[in-house]
Amino acid sequence: MGSCHYFILLTVIASSVATQVSFPHRIVGGEDANQNEFPYQVSIQAFGRHFCGGSIIGPEQVVTAAHCLRAIPAAFAGLHVVAGKHNLALREDFSQTLQVVKIIRHPKYDVTSVQNDIGILITEKPFEFNTEVQPIRPMPANSTEEGDSVVTGWGVVYENDTRIPDILQKVTVPILPQRTCVRVLKIGRALYNPAVMICAGDLAGGRDSCQGDSGGPLALDTVDDNGHKTRYLVGIVSWGYGCARKGLPGVYTKVSSFHDFISEVQKALN
Ligand SMILES: *[C@@H]1O[C@H](CO)[C@@H](O)[C@H](O)[C@H]1NC(C)=O
Ligand SMILES: *[C@@H]1O[C@H](CO)[C@@H](O)[C@H](O)[C@H]1NC(C)=O
């Protein structure tokens, strides 16, 4: 493993990235989502440009990664969330664009260690819930996350690619056991902390989230004893060593560890 370079997975807006795009992997390894297959997914945009993903968790609440909100001033009129979106290049009548009126970063988000990488955006008015726009439930506290999950986003489809796709991408990735995450991600400054992170991916490489997917959802379907299926938000796209590299799964904020943060924000709104 030559490189200890880790990526924060937001879109590189100015293309300072060199054009050495020879990596053979595709979100990375994914495919086009069906239209409105992921009604909780939003595109977070500054002046109409996508830079991060997010998930609707309440009528006027979107959860994302704190690192997406780092450089954004508290009162910034150019910040919007776009819900119900499928193709970023098209005007879609079923999409809903709402202005963000409040940005709440986790008070203990740490830039250097990428700990507590979670934030909540409050929109000017509630979303209109319908088949295209729906909230997702955050994973309850003290859960054990395991199984195949699905990550979605408009992030690049190759590591270091400079252009994001127009159509929302999806890829299924297994959530790995914490002891595996700790072992394989013990690199350089050892950023991986199982108390606040989960990791998911194919250790053989080839399937992952990448730049521009940041803040977006990692979702897991569970079936209760009555056969009732519920989809939970288990992770928030956070960081990785490159994208889809062999032996290096993607790292996600562990949503179940932030139950108190989320419910306090929600309570304060009522
Ligand atoms: C992507 O860019 C980083 C930083 O320049 C570099 O270390 C890495 O090898 C690049 N990856 C690919 C697949 O070109
Ligand atoms: C989660 O576990 C902690 C420690 O065991 C406990 O204090 C807390 O009440 C639990 N939270 C919930 C929502 O069950």
Side-chain angles (χ1 to χ4, degrees):
M1 197 58 54
S3 171
C4 294
H5 186 80
Y6 73 93
F7 295 168
I8 286 293
L9 302 174
L10 77 170
T11 313
V12 183
I13 291 175
S15 90
S16 54
V17 180
T19 47
Q20 12 147 253
V21 186
S22 56
F23 211 61
H25 296 133
R26 288 190 53 115
I27 199 171
V28 187
E31 57 184 320
D32 288 359
N34 299 321
Q35 191 162 305
N36 307 119
E37 185 181 355
F38 302 96
Y40 48 87
Q41 169 88 48
V42 301
S43 164
I44 302 179
Q45 306 191 346
F47 300 118
R49 280 190 76 162
H50 171 88
F51 68 94
C52 269
S55 309
I56 301 170
I57 55 163
E60 62 285 275
Q61 304 134 39
V62 167
V63 69
T64 185
H67 79 256
C68 288
L69 311 172
R70 245 184 92 185
I72 300 176
F76 175 53
L79 188 65
H80 292 87
V81 297
V82 187
K85 207 65 199 140
H86 179 61
N87 185 332
L88 290 178
L90 300 181
R91 216 189 119 237
E92 296 172 316
D93 289 338
F94 49 80
S95 71
Q96 299 176 31
T97 302
L98 296 186
Q99 194 174 342
V100 173
V101 289
K102 195 167 179 196
I103 299 170
I104 304 157
R105 300 172 185 84
H106 192 282
K108 293 199 174 130
Y109 164 61
D110 187 89
V111 179
T112 324
S113 65
V114 214
Q115 308 265 321
N116 310 311
D117 192 11
I118 183 170
I120 295 176
L121 300 175
I122 310 298
T123 56
E124 56 175 324
K125 59 179 192 202
F127 295 102
E128 201 176 295
F129 291 147
N130 51 30
T131 48
E132 287 96 18
V133 178
Q134 282 292 321
I136 184 171
R137 280 177 216 226
M139 194 69 165
N142 301 342
S143 303
T144 303
E145 294 83 358
E146 55 190 12
D148 274 346
S149 55
V150 60
V151 59
T152 42
W154 286 276
V156 296
V157 298
Y158 302 93
E159 177 174 329
N160 297 346
D161 198 353
T162 50
R163 203 174 173 280
I164 60 169
D166 291 330
I167 295 177
L168 183 67
Q169 302 290 301
K170 62 176 176 184
V171 67
T172 300
V173 281
I175 299 172
L176 301 178
Q178 288 289 13
R179 58 177 193 289
T180 305
C181 303
V182 169
R183 180 169 51 82
V184 299
L185 294 165
K186 196 175 273 175
I187 303 170
R189 286 183 284 150
L191 297 168
Y192 189 80
N193 176 0
V196 290
M197 300 172 191
I198 57 177
C199 89
D202 186 344
L203 287 178
R207 287 191 283 162
D208 202 2
S209 45
C210 203
Q211 287 113 325
D213 290 320
S214 267
L218 178 74
L220 180 69
D221 292 330
T222 62
V223 183
D224 70 15
D225 296 341
N226 303 319
H228 184 259
K229 199 174 107 173
T230 309
R231 176 163 280 197
Y232 287 102
L233 178 69
V234 289
I236 299 168
V237 178
S238 184
W239 61 276
Y241 292 103
C243 308
R245 294 187 193 169
K246 191 166 173 251
L248 292 172
V251 181
Y252 299 80
T253 307
K254 183 178 174 173
V255 171
S256 65
S257 298
F258 295 95
H259 176 266
D260 289 352
F261 169 68
I262 294 169
S263 56
E264 273 161 34
V265 169
Q266 292 182 323
K267 256 184 261 157
L269 290 170
N270 297 326

